[in-house]
Amino acid sequence: MWSRRLALGTGVVILPLALLVVRDGSVRSEPPERSGPAAVRPAAPRPPIVGREVWDADEDLVRERPRPAGVVSAVFLHHTGHPNSYDCADVPEMLRSLQTDHVKGEGWDDIGYNFVVDRCGTVYEGRAGSGARPVRGAHTKGFNAHTVGIAALGTFDTGTVVPRALLGGIAKVAAWQLRPGADPRGTVRLVSTNDEARFDKGDKAVLHVISGHRDSYETRCPGEALYERLPEIREAVARLRHR
C-alpha cells in the first residue's frame, strides 16, 4: 500500500538502508534494456490468472497504453490496505474500486499493481497487459522498470495472520515473472529513476530480488506481518523455479 494511506496504521520500524545489502555474492549489474527471446523465456509456468475482462476492469479509465517494463529482475510486494474480512467472491468489485482510486485519486494511467492476489490465493491481472508480457506499473516509485509489482489484497500489520493460500499465489506469480537466472534468495542492483524513492535519482540500489515496498520507499507497506514472511516467499519461489 502507498504511504499516503499507511499513515493511519500502527508504527513500524523502517529498516536502515545498510540492512538491505545482503548476500553480496548474488549482486547483479543493471538489467539490459534489450534482450533476446531466450532471456525472456519463463523459468516457471504461468499460473492461472483472472484477466481484466473477467473482473470487468474499466478500460475507458485507462489513460495510456501499457509500456514494456523490460526483463523482470526484481519483485516488489505490496498490500492494498483493504479489510481482511472480505469475501473472495467480492474481489472483482474491490478491484474495480481500486482501479478508479488509482486513476482518479492518484492520477495514474491505470491500476498501479501488475498483479493482485486475494486471501484465497486467486491471482488477478492488474495493470493492462500484465498477463501477457512484463509491463511497467506504478507500484514502486523510482523502480518501476525491470520489476513487477504484486499486491496482497488486505492489510497485514503486526499480528495479522497471513493466509497460506495468499503466500502461495504470490510465490507462483513471482516465480513465473522473474527472468531466468535470477536468484529469488539473492540481491539485484537497480538504478533509481526518482528522487522521492529511498535512493536519489541515478543512485544504484542493492535490493533483494524479492523485496517489500518499504525497501525502496518511505512506507510501512506491505505491513510487518507480510514483510516477515518474505524469506518464506523467496524459498517458495526458488523451489518453484527449480522444478
Side-chain angles (χ1 to χ4, degrees):
M1 182 177 176
W2 302 91
S3 58
R4 178 175 64 85
R5 296 176 186 160
L6 285 166
L8 299 179
T10 57
V12 177
V13 176
I14 301 298
L15 292 177
L17 297 182
L19 295 182
L20 301 179
V21 186
V22 296
R23 296 174 65 94
D24 289 339
S26 300
V27 172
R28 309 281 184 179
S29 60
E30 294 80 0
E33 289 297 330
R34 297 181 180 179
S35 57
V40 296
R41 188 177 298 120
R46 182 184 190 272
I49 296 172
V50 178
R52 289 165 63 94
E53 70 282 358
V54 177
W55 62 265
D56 198 21
D58 187 347
E59 303 301 351
D60 290 335
L61 280 178
V62 179
R63 297 177 174 178
E64 186 176 298
R65 293 173 62 88
R67 293 185 294 159
V71 178
V72 175
S73 293
V75 174
F76 283 100
L77 186 59
H78 306 260
H79 69 176
T80 64
H82 289 87
N84 296 325
S85 57
Y86 62 86
D87 188 316
C88 290
D90 295 330
V91 171
E93 181 180 355
M94 296 167 69
L95 291 179
R96 290 192 293 272
S97 295
L98 186 64
Q99 182 192 22
T100 299
D101 181 57
H102 281 189
V103 175
K104 295 185 177 181
E106 301 289 355
W108 300 333
D109 296 328
D110 192 2
I111 190 170
Y113 312 119
N114 296 105
F115 300 95
V116 179
V117 183
D118 70 15
R119 65 188 186 91
C120 295
T122 304
V123 180
Y124 290 84
E125 179 184 18
R127 178 154 292 221
S130 296
R133 63 191 186 284
V135 300
R136 192 171 302 197
H139 55 87
T140 307
K141 190 169 290 187
F143 299 96
N144 288 316
H146 300 293
T147 70
V148 61
I150 304 174
L153 193 65
T155 302
F156 299 95
D157 294 329
T158 302
T160 302
V161 176
V162 183
R164 294 200 62 82
L166 172 65
L167 295 173
I170 291 169
K172 290 175 184 176
V173 178
W176 166 57
Q177 283 282 294
L178 278 172
R179 65 175 178 80
D183 180 4
R185 295 164 293 193
T187 55
V188 63
R189 184 179 295 121
L190 300 174
V191 178
S192 174
T193 61
N194 195 305
D195 287 331
E196 294 182 34
R198 281 184 177 271
F199 303 86
D200 292 337
K201 183 177 180 179
D203 284 355
K204 295 178 181 179
V206 179
L207 299 163
H208 289 288
V209 169
I210 299 179
S211 288
H213 186 196
R214 67 173 66 177
D215 291 339
S216 65
Y217 189 73
E218 290 287 351
T219 175
R220 298 186 182 101
C221 183
E224 192 66 22
L226 187 52
Y227 191 81
E228 289 176 351
R229 305 301 289 274
L230 281 175
E232 179 181 339
I233 292 172
R234 293 173 188 130
E235 292 294 336
V237 173
R239 288 195 298 271
L240 289 168
R241 288 164 65 84
H242 180 68
R243 292 176 188 171

